[in-house]
Amino acid sequence: MQHIYFDAGRNVLMLLDQRYLPSKEEWFQCADTDDIIYALQQMVIRGAPAIGVTAAYGCVLAALQAKGGSNWEEALEKSLQDIEHARPTAANLAWAVRVMRQAWRSGSFLSAPELADFWLPKAQGLHEDDIRVNKMIGAYGRDLIASGDTVMTHCNAGALATGGYGTALGVVRSAVEQGKEVRVIASETRPFLQGARLTAYELARDNIPVRVACDNACGLLMHKGLVHKVVVGADRIAANGDTANKIGTYPLAVLARRYNIPFYVAAPFSTFDIQTSSGEDIPIEERDPGEVKYMTGQMIMPRDVEVYNYAFDVTPQELISGIITEKGVFDPGELA
């Protein structure tokens, strides 16, 4: 699924706007740094690997934007920092900007347009690498899935959350491509409904059987024996194997332990943050209360009542059966 591409003829980044899926497929055009930051913060694009890919292309746009003046390097560095800090939790965001910055510092460039020309294939390479890495994650993860399994997943860790194949959904896709019969239960994922809107959309397009469940139904479904594996993505993995993912992931891990259901995290090594010692140190983004207060434009609670809108939670490594990466499946305890 192509949902991110750079139009070199017009020097714009095109993003399939995920705010409108599955009702309509509308493209969002990024022409400068402000557009990139808006797209990241307003959930036009989301999912840690996709955020990283978008940030890499954003560096190209930042170089094109800084093309004039003798202080272009200073202006460009300011733009890179703005992109790098657009969202706090996903490790891939800072990682991608760091990769692009290191490539810049390793060479000698007389102008910003010259650097942009150098950076564009670099960003395209990161994009292609992400898809390749996702397929490697899928190849390792599919061995954990048996034919006939029903896999529960949370949020969206598919093509839309990555360069184009998926981490958690990449495991499912790879198992299906291997000929296994796999069904998926997608938790709706309040308040932004990434599971109901995006995961169900992707799997239905691929003719992979999927059902959507209310978030608060997951325990009952496990109790009834309807769930065989849980596979989720991650936005950041700490040095000790604790993982941050979309809010609601931690309760699934607790329930999976209660019912002896294997709980796996699928993520590339670019999501690992060895500078963060444990999940306690991972910054957790708090988002606009309006995302909770409103649904499809209608207020669903008293106007003056306050809300919690944490975007992520942390799953301790002791609740994780394995972390599926492009280099194999690891016991999170091995990372400590």
Side-chain angles (χ1 to χ4, degrees):
M1 176 186 296
Q2 184 185 53
H3 66 109
I4 304 171
Y5 73 91
F6 193 89
D7 185 336
R10 296 187 298 140
N11 283 328
V12 294
L13 178 65
M14 302 300 296
L15 303 172
L16 181 60
D17 197 327
Q18 298 185 26
R19 297 173 298 178
Y20 301 114
L21 293 174
S23 300
K24 59 180 178 178
E25 296 183 359
E26 186 169 302
W27 289 87
F28 182 88
Q29 177 178 296
C30 296
D32 56 27
T33 302
D34 287 344
D35 291 339
I36 290 290
I37 292 171
Y38 178 89
L40 293 171
Q41 293 181 341
Q42 299 303 317
M43 307 284 271
V44 172
I45 190 83
R46 26 68 50 208
I51 286 172
V53 170
T54 301
Y57 285 120
C59 293
V60 177
L61 292 179
L64 292 169
Q65 184 179 353
K67 62 184 178 182
S70 58
N71 295 325
W72 69 268
E73 291 180 317
E74 182 179 334
L76 177 56
E77 178 56 37
K78 172 63 167 58
S79 293
L80 297 190
Q81 291 179 19
D82 289 344
I83 294 171
E84 191 172 12
H85 297 108
R87 293 189 67 183
T89 304
N92 305 64
L93 175 56
W95 170 83
V97 175
R98 189 163 58 246
V99 168
M100 300 295 278
R101 184 185 284 116
Q102 288 171 350
W104 171 20
R105 300 305 184 189
S106 67
S108 178
F109 303 93
L110 299 178
S111 67
E114 183 180 324
L115 176 59
D117 288 341
F118 170 79
W119 261 349
L120 179 55
K122 184 73 174 177
Q124 291 168 331
L126 288 179
H127 190 174
E128 293 166 1
D129 281 348
D130 184 72
I131 296 173
R132 178 183 57 82
V133 163
N134 283 189
K135 290 183 176 180
M136 293 171 68
I137 291 170
Y140 281 113
R142 68 189 181 191
D143 293 338
L144 303 171
I145 307 299
S147 188
D149 272 354
T150 295
V151 175
M152 177 173 283
T153 191
H154 187 65
C155 193
N156 171 262
L160 291 167
T162 64
Y165 188 75
T167 52
L169 292 193
V171 170
V172 171
R173 284 193 171 96
S174 189
V176 170
E177 290 166 3
Q178 196 179 34
K180 295 176 179 177
E181 294 185 8
V182 182
R183 296 180 178 274
V184 175
I185 296 174
S187 55
E188 60 179 352
T189 322
R190 281 279 293 146
F192 209 68
L193 301 175
Q194 295 98 320
R197 295 189 305 105
L198 306 180
T199 293
Y201 165 80
E202 281 195 37
L203 294 176
R205 278 173 55 108
D206 286 353
N207 295 313
I208 296 174
V210 58
R211 285 192 177 189
V212 173
C214 296
D215 291 350
N216 52 9
C218 295
L220 175 64
L221 298 178
M222 291 183 184
H223 176 72
K224 286 180 169 292
L226 299 177
V227 180
H228 304 110
K229 308 281 167 53
V230 179
V231 185
V232 299
D235 286 80
R236 188 183 297 239
I237 301 175
N240 72 336
D242 293 348
T243 66
N245 194 49
K246 184 55 57 183
I247 190 76
T249 303
Y250 170 52
L252 281 187
V254 173
L255 286 165
R257 177 57 58 90
R258 166 67 177 83
Y259 290 105
N260 296 314
I261 297 170
F263 181 94
Y264 296 106
V265 172
F269 266 88
S270 57
T271 303
F272 285 73
D273 178 11
I274 60 173
Q275 303 302 318
T276 299
S277 59
S278 75
E280 292 296 322
D281 301 316
I282 296 176
I284 301 298
E285 179 180 0
E286 292 186 61
R287 293 186 57 81
D288 183 355
E291 293 178 351
V292 176
K293 290 186 173 185
Y294 291 86
M295 183 175 288
T296 62
Q298 297 294 315
M299 182 168 282
I300 60 172
M301 58 178 286
R303 184 179 302 275
D304 296 330
V305 174
E306 296 183 352
V307 303
Y308 289 112
N309 190 18
Y310 292 103
F312 304 92
D313 57 24
V314 173
T315 299
Q317 57 97 351
E318 61 266 22
L319 296 179
I320 300 170
S321 304
I323 299 179
I324 309 166
T325 76
E326 69 270 30
K327 298 181 181 180
V329 182
F330 296 89
D331 182 327
E334 296 174 2
L335 304 173

